Amino acid sequence: MPKVLVTGGAGYIGSHTVRLLLSQGYDVTVVDDLSHGYRHNVPPERLNAMNICHTAALAELMRQTRPAAVVHFAAFIAVGESMREPERYFANNVGGSLSLLTAMVQAGIRHIVFSSTAAVYGNPHATPILETFPIQPVNPYGESKVMVETLLRWFDAIHHLTSVSLRYFNAAGADPSGALGEQHEPETHLIPLLFRAIMTGKPITIFGNDYNTPDGTCIRDYIHVNDLAQAHILALEHLMSGGATSQFNVGTGTGHTVMEVVRAVEEVTGKKVPYTIGARREGDSDALVAASGKLRQSLKWEPRFPNLRAIVEHAWGFAKKHY
Ligand code: UDP
């Protein structure tokens, strides 16, 4: 089976993808500096604790392991933090990606699957969101991903390095085994914070209930992390069989309000979520739902866990053991 190099493979989405790649027979090498990822998320013999900004070391690793392709997760992900410290986001996300691409060119590796984000669309004029909608990020995090998508176009035009950028909607859930799950520090994501509120009794703040949605809370497209991981494997296969550079939304195409997520968490856990309604969070749009037809049609992707209930059940399976 093909060899694949995964950056950021010890993080949340990366570790689920590594696990799925290994289960499908891929020979995986992980690069992760463990600044946010966890050593225990990756089989020890697969892990190289290294920062992707070290171009020469990366190129050397690629020459030794000769991967057919790279899957690139390693990045900072907190929107709020990016508004306070943009320089760190551009240095790590854009600088790190440029270093990785440079190493790939030096080592002759020709394909990359890139973790992009729905944040490239900013506050879109309509929903569901098509890949052809205007690219207009509203924070440095989203802008850093746009800049890498731009790098990728030039590396294809000049170096014939082909890429798939996957624009994630709201990654959620956990591997059904309960072995892997979402553990960010600090945690900013809705579902883990709802579990924490239940476990600590400290109310979670719901950011606004005066949006233009049926119950006034924001609508998001929650996608199971294993379905997201599978999209990476289909993208790899597309590139390794000669497919062209492209960009895809990765979401289910169905949205849920924050209050629907609260109710799903209450059903799954059998406990009441303590919450208060607070002010809107800066930058939040009413509704962000993917048009997922391009991914379904071009890469034959189908979510195995399209229901919010399964996503929350799997997330809870991990949370109750690890939070
Ligand atoms: N949210 C909330 N309270 C929180 C965290 C999130 O009400 O403490 C809401 C947030 O406003 C958004 C949804 O939950 O509408 C999902 O937020 P998350 O940060 O998980 O993902 P994002 O949509 O920002 O990618």
Side-chain angles (χ1 to χ4, degrees):
M1 280 298 276
K3 292 185 176 172
V4 178
L5 187 136
V6 180
T7 75
Y12 170 47
I13 303 169
S15 64
H16 283 81
T17 305
V18 168
R19 191 179 171 91
L20 202 62
L21 281 164
L22 290 171
S23 77
Q24 295 181 23
Y26 285 86
D27 183 356
V28 181
T29 303
V30 172
V31 169
D32 196 302
D33 69 357
L34 302 175
S35 61
H36 292 75
Y38 298 96
R39 191 177 283 280
H40 60 247
N41 277 350
V42 180
E45 71 281 6
R46 304 272 167 194
L47 181 64
N48 295 267
M50 186 194 288
N51 186 294
I52 57 169
C53 291
H54 295 142
T55 316
L58 259 186
E60 184 52 34
L61 181 69
M62 289 178 193
R63 283 191 203 97
Q64 282 166 13
T65 54
R66 308 264 4 120
V70 171
V71 185
H72 176 33
F73 295 99
F76 294 158
I77 61 156
V79 170
E81 192 176 64
S82 83
M83 293 292 282
R84 294 188 297 274
E85 300 174 272
E87 56 284 356
R88 282 186 61 225
Y89 274 71
F90 292 122
N92 190 58
N93 294 5
V94 185
S97 298
L98 180 57
S99 166
L100 174 67
L101 292 170
T102 304
M104 288 175 68
V105 170
Q106 287 174 2
I109 316 296
R110 307 294 278 272
H111 311 297
I112 182 167
V113 179
F114 172 59
S115 297
S116 190
T117 172
V120 302
Y121 303 111
N123 296 315
H125 60 282
T127 198
I129 299 166
L130 287 159
E131 287 85 352
T132 48
F133 274 23
I135 298 301
Q136 44 191 22
V138 293
N139 51 62
Y141 166 70
E143 185 73 77
S144 74
K145 296 290 182 173
V146 173
M147 289 165 107
V148 177
E149 288 197 13
T150 305
L151 293 179
L152 289 171
R153 289 194 177 84
W154 286 109
F155 272 73
D156 186 349
I158 295 166
H159 292 303
H160 310 296
L161 191 156
T162 59
S163 63
V164 167
S165 294
L166 296 177
R167 296 174 180 162
Y168 308 162
F169 283 66
N170 289 60
D175 190 73
S177 71
L180 296 172
E182 188 168 10
Q183 241 178 338
H184 295 115
E185 211 45 68
E187 188 56 76
T188 61
H189 294 109
L190 179 63
I191 294 174
L193 289 176
L194 292 171
F195 294 145
R196 282 194 190 178
I198 284 178
M199 288 167 149
T200 61
K202 248 185 90 187
I204 178 173
T205 303
I206 293 184
F207 298 139
N209 65 354
D210 58 351
Y211 285 94
N212 185 21
T213 64
D215 65 22
T217 61
C218 292
I219 293 176
R220 295 288 179 271
D221 184 336
Y222 295 90
I223 172 165
H224 194 291
V225 64
N226 276 6
D227 288 329
L228 189 48
Q230 181 59 20
H232 292 76
I233 298 181
L234 296 173
L236 272 177
E237 288 169 356
H238 162 83
L239 293 173
M240 291 189 304
S241 59
T245 291
S246 196
Q247 300 80 30
F248 297 92
N249 289 337
V250 195
T252 64
T254 301
H256 296 282
T257 66
V258 174
M259 286 315 298
E260 283 171 358
V261 181
V262 170
R263 275 195 294 281
V265 166
E266 291 183 336
E267 277 168 32
V268 166
T269 61
K271 300 193 166 82
K272 280 270 163 219
V273 174
Y275 69 85
T276 57
I277 304 291
R280 289 182 173 204
R281 183 173 66 178
E282 203 188 338
D284 267 342
S285 307
D286 301 58
L288 295 174
V289 177
S292 58
K294 186 178 178 190
L295 183 69
R296 290 173 193 261
Q297 277 136 38
S298 305
L299 300 188
K300 306 283 174 258
W301 176 83
E302 270 306 319
R304 277 184 63 204
F305 307 110
N307 297 323
L308 184 60
R309 173 88 190 208
I311 292 173
V312 172
E313 273 171 7
H314 296 164
W316 179 235
F318 178 80
K320 67 185 174 200
K321 281 193 280 183
H322 295 91
Y323 287 6

